[in-house]
C-alpha cells in the first residue's frame, strides 16, 4: 500500500493528500485480452467469472485535464461486469480499442487488460487542470456515464451522444480498483449517512431505474399508476420499487422466492407475485410462446390491483417480453433497458398496435438524471439495496453469485475500506432513516 492510500484510509486532510505522490501502479480487478477465448464453446451458465476476473497490479495512467484520480473505498458488482467476465455478448476489448482510436487521451484505454467496475465511492486525490467543481479531499460517489462534451447531441440528452460510454465497461480504469480514473462530470456527493459500501452500490442501478420511471426520457410514473416490476429485489428492480412507492404509484413486484417477497413487504410493496410459485411457462418450447400463460399473469395482476399495469418495467428480455407486452394496459408503456435472458425478442404485435401500447428503450441516465437519482439517496428517501459485502480479492465469487441469481439487491466490494461500516458522517440522518430500513436487504448473518 502506498503512503497516499494509507493517508486516505487514515482520513488525512486535503493538504496532506495533495502532498503525497500518486503511486505508479494500483491493484485492480481485470480481465485479460490473452484470455478472451477461454470460454469458447461453453454455454453462458458454465462461463465462470471466478476464472476470468483477476486482481492484478496495473499501471496508473496519466491524468487527462478533465479527470480526477479517485482513491476507491468501495465498489459494487453490476451485471455489466458479469458480461465482461464471460466475454458476452462480445469481449469488451473491442470497446477499448475503439476508444483508443478516438484521441490521445483515449489511447490510454486500449490495453491488454481491462479494469472493470462501474460504481465507486471514494476520495478525490488529484484533479486535472480543467476540473473546476471538485477538489482533493472531496468525498464522492461516481456515476458511469462517460460522455464526450464535444458531441453536440450530448448537450440535449447525453445518452444520445454517438460516443456515449459506460465507464468500467466500455472504458478502462473502472471502479473495482484501489485507484480509478474518473471524469469530473461523473462525480456526485456521497450520501453522508451511508458507509462506503452502502454508498458504492447505487449509482448505476438507481440512475437507470430513475430514468426509466421518473424522467420524461423514460415512462414517468404518476400518482396511482400501477407498475409491474420484474426482478423487483434485483439491482435495478429494488430501486424501481422505491421510486414507484415514493411517487405515489403502486408497484407489483415479481420475485422468485419467499425471502425476496419478504424484502418487498419490508420495503412497503404489498402486491407481490412469486414467479417460481406460479410457475409461468410463457414459452412452450424454444420457439413457441403460450398466450394462455400471458393471460394467467394478467389475471394474477388484476387480482392484486384490480387493473392492468400502466407501465411494465422490463429487463429479463426474451423470457418475459411477450408477456410484458400482453399484460400492459391499453395505451400503456413497456420500458426496457436490458435482455438478460436473450435479446432476440418476440411479442405479438397485434397486442401492441391494437391496444396502442408503446415500447420505450432506455439506457443508464444522463448527468442530470444521475444527479437527481443520487439526491434521493442523499436525502435518505431511497435506501441502498446492499445484501452482502466482499473484498476486492473475492470479486470473482461475487460476480459468480450475480451471474447465477444467488444474490438479492446489490453486492458491495470493499476496495480501500478496511472493514464495513466506515465513512458515515451524518449519524442524525442515519438514525432518522433507521438502521432496520438500511438493512432490509442484508442477508442473514451479514
Ligand atoms: P440482477 O441484480 O441480477 O436482477 C435481475 C433480476 O431479474 C433477478 O434477480 C431475477 O429476479 C430477475 N430475472 C432474471 N432472469 C429472469 C427471467 N428469465 N424471468 C424473470 N425474471 C428474471 O440484475 P440487475 O442489476 O437488476 O440488471 C438486470 C439487467 O439489466 C441486466 O441484464 C443488466 O445488464 C441490465 N442493466 C442495464 C442497464 C442499462 O443502463 N441499460 C443498467 C443496469 C442493468 P427473481 O429471480 O427474483 O425474479
Amino acid at each position: 500500500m502506498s503512503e497516499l492510500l494509507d493517508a486516505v484510509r487514515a482520513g488525512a486532510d486535503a493538504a496532506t493528500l495533495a502532498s503525497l505522490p500518486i503511486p505508479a501502479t494500483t491493484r485492480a480487478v481485470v480481465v485479460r485480452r490473452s484470455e478472451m477465448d477461454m470460454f469458447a464453446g461453453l454455454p453462458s451458465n458454465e462461463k465462470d467469472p471466478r476464472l476470468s476476473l483477476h486482481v492484478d497490479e496495473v499501471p496508473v495512467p496519466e491524468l487527462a485535464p478533465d479527470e480526477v484520480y479517485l482513491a476507491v473505498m468501495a465498489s459494487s458488482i453490476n451485471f455489466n461486469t458479469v458480461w465482461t467476465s464471460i466475454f458476452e455478448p462480445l469481449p469488451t476489448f473491442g470497446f477499448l480499442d475503439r476508444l483508443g482510436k478516438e484521441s490521445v487521451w483515449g489511447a490510454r484505454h486500449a490495453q491488454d487488460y481491462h479494469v472493470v467496475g462501474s460504481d465507486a465511492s471514494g476520495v478525490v486525490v488529484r484533479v486535472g487542470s480543467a476540473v473546476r467543481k471538485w477538489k482533493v479531499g472531496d468525498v464522492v460517489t461516481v456515476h458511469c456515464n462517460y460522455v464526450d462534451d464535444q458531441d453536440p447531441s450530448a448537450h440535449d440528452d447525453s445518452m444520445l451522444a454517438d460516443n456515449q460510454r459506460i465507464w468500467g465497461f466500455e472504458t478502462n480504469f473502472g471502479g473495482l480498483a484501489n485507484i480509478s480514473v474518473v471524469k469530473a462530470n461523473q462525480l456526485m456527493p456521497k450520501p453522508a449517512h451511508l458507509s462506503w459500501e452502502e454508498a458504492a452500490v447505487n449509482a448505476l442501478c438507481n440512475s437507470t431505474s430513475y430514468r426509466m420511471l421518473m424522467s420524461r426520457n423514460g415512462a414517468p410514473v404518476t400518482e396511482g399508476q400501477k407498475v409491474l416490476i420484474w426482478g423487483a429485489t434485483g439491482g435495478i428492480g429494488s430501486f424501481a420499487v422505491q421510486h414507484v412507492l415514493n411517487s405515489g404509484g403502486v408497484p407489483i413486484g415479481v420475485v422468485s422466492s419467499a425471502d425476496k417477497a419478504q424484502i418487498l413487504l419490508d420495503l412497503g410493496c404489498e402486491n407481490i407475485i412469486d414467479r417460481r410459485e406460479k410457475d409461468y411457462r410463457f414459452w412452450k418450447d424454444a420457439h413457441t410462446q403460450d398466450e394462455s400463460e400471458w393471460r394467467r399473469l394478467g389475471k394474477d395482476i388484476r387480482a392484486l390491483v384490480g387493473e392492468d399495469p400502466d407501465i411494465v418495467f422490463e429487463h429479463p428480455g426474451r423470457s418475459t417480453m411477450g408477456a410484458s407486452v400482453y399484460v400492459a394496459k391499453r395505451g400503456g408503456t413497456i420500458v426496457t433497458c436490458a435482455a438478460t435472458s436473450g435479446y432476440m425478442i418476440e411479442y405479438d404485435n397485434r397486442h401492441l398496435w391494437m391496444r396502442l401500447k408503446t415500447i420505450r428503450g432506455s439506457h443508464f441516465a444522463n448527468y442530470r438524471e444521475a444527479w437527481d437519482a443520487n439526491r434521493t439517496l442523499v436525502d435518505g428517501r431511497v435506501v441502498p439495496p446492499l445484501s452482502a459485502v466482499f473484498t476486492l480479492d473475492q470479486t470473482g465469487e461475487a460476480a459468480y453469485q450475480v451471474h447465477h441469481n444467488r444474490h438479492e439487491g446489490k453486492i458491495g466490494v470493499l476496495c480501500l475500506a478496511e472493514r464495513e461500516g466506515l465513512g458515515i458522517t451524518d449519524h442524525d440522518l442515519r438514525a432518522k432513516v433507521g438502521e432496520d430500513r438500511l438493512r432490509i436487504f442484508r442477508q442473514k448473518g451479514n
Side-chain angles (χ1 to χ4, degrees), residues 287-319:
H287 307 289
T288 327
Q289 297 198 59
D290 184 346
E291 184 169 328
S292 69
E293 286 291 278
W294 299 346
R295 214 173 299 128
R296 189 155 72 88
L297 171 65
K299 272 192 192 156
D300 289 340
I301 295 168
R302 272 188 231 137
L304 285 171
V305 296
E307 57 179 312
D308 296 329
D310 300 88
I311 297 169
V312 180
F313 183 87
E314 168 61 48
H315 52 92
R318 185 167 173 82
S319 41

Side-chain angles (χ1 to χ4, degrees), residues 77-80 83 166 204-205 208 230-237 254-257 260 275-276 315-316 319-320 337-341 362-365 402 405 407-410:
I77 305 297
N78 283 295
F79 220 95
N80 64 6
W83 297 126
I166 298 296
L204 188 146
C205 285
T208 302
W230 292 104
T233 59
I236 50 177
V254 185
V255 288
S256 63
S257 72
K260 290 180 177 183
R275 67 180 172 102
R276 222 155 260 178
H315 52 92
S319 41
T320 54
C337 74
T340 315
S341 64
S362 190
H363 185 42
F364 189 62
V402 173
N405 196 17
H407 67 301
E408 286 106 30
K410 298 288 304 174

Side-chain angles (χ1 to χ4, degrees), residues 14 23 60 110 131 181 208 222 234 241 280 313 356 410 419 422 439:
V60 173
V131 175
V181 178
T208 302
T222 54
V241 167
Y280 299 116
F313 183 87
L356 304 104
K410 298 288 304 174
R419 57 183 166 82
L422 303 175
R439 295 185 73 84

Side-chain angles (χ1 to χ4, degrees), residues 120-401:
S121 64
V123 181
V124 174
V125 289
R126 234 24 135 249
V127 299
S129 56
V131 175
R132 290 174 293 111
K133 295 202 166 176
W134 301 94
K135 55 186 190 322
V136 172
D138 282 346
V139 172
V140 296
T141 58
V142 178
H143 76 77
C144 61
N145 189 6
Y146 184 96
V147 185
D148 178 353
D149 67 2
Q150 291 172 36
D151 180 338
S153 45
H155 288 267
D156 180 8
D157 175 8
S158 57
M159 290 309 296
L160 298 183
D162 275 347
N163 57 0
Q164 183 280 329
R165 292 182 164 89
I166 298 296
W167 165 72
F169 178 59
E170 295 164 292
T171 81
N172 217 326
F173 319 125
L176 284 159
N178 285 351
I179 298 179
S180 181
V181 178
V182 179
K183 277 185 187 274
N185 64 9
Q186 290 177 253
L187 299 176
M188 306 187 292
K190 171 188 165 290
H193 64 297
L194 299 182
S195 65
W196 294 115
E197 63 281 3
E198 288 167 343
V201 297
N202 310 300
L204 188 146
C205 285
N206 187 31
S207 310
T208 302
S209 301
Y210 188 91
R211 181 179 171 107
M212 289 172 80
L213 293 174
M214 295 291 111
S215 162
R216 63 184 156 85
N217 292 315
V221 179
T222 54
E223 201 171 347
Q225 282 192 324
K226 313 294 184 291
V227 185
L228 180 73
I229 300 172
W230 292 104
T233 59
I236 50 177
S238 53
F239 290 107
V241 167
Q242 297 187 69
H243 289 309
V244 172
L245 285 169
N246 288 349
S247 54
V250 180
I252 304 121
V254 185
V255 288
S256 63
S257 72
D259 284 351
K260 290 180 177 183
Q262 184 58 49
I263 288 175
L264 285 184
L265 285 173
D266 292 347
L267 274 179
C269 172
E270 294 165 357
N271 304 298
I272 300 168
I273 294 176
D274 184 335
R275 67 180 172 102
R276 222 155 260 178
E277 191 182 275
K278 295 284 182 183
D279 195 22
Y280 299 116
R281 306 277 172 108
F282 300 139
W283 288 84
K284 289 185 202 166
D285 58 47
H287 307 289
T288 327
Q289 297 198 59
D290 184 346
E291 184 169 328
S292 69
E293 286 291 278
W294 299 346
R295 214 173 299 128
R296 189 155 72 88
L297 171 65
K299 272 192 192 156
D300 289 340
I301 295 168
R302 272 188 231 137
L304 285 171
V305 296
E307 57 179 312
D308 296 329
D310 300 88
I311 297 169
V312 180
F313 183 87
E314 168 61 48
H315 52 92
R318 185 167 173 82
S319 41
T320 54
M321 191 64 163
S324 294
V325 169
Y326 180 83
V327 299
K329 184 184 217 157
R330 193 180 182 91
T333 304
I334 302 95
V335 59
T336 176
C337 74
T340 315
S341 64
Y343 50 78
M344 294 306 283
I345 299 295
E346 275 179 38
Y347 59 87
D348 185 335
N349 202 26
R350 293 170 299 175
H351 295 299
L352 191 83
W353 96 70
M354 293 296 288
R355 299 199 173 99
L356 304 104
K357 305 180 189 186
T358 304
I359 298 176
R360 182 96 208 223
S362 190
H363 185 42
F364 189 62
N366 63 36
Y367 196 8
R368 176 80 262 160
E369 290 158 347
W371 191 279
D372 288 347
N374 190 54
R375 217 164 41 176
T376 67
L377 288 150
V378 167
D379 295 349
R381 280 175 290 128
V382 164
V383 291
L386 178 71
S387 62
V389 181
F390 287 70
T391 64
L392 203 60
D393 289 316
Q394 298 167 326
T395 299
E397 175 61 33
Y400 176 84
Q401 295 207 3

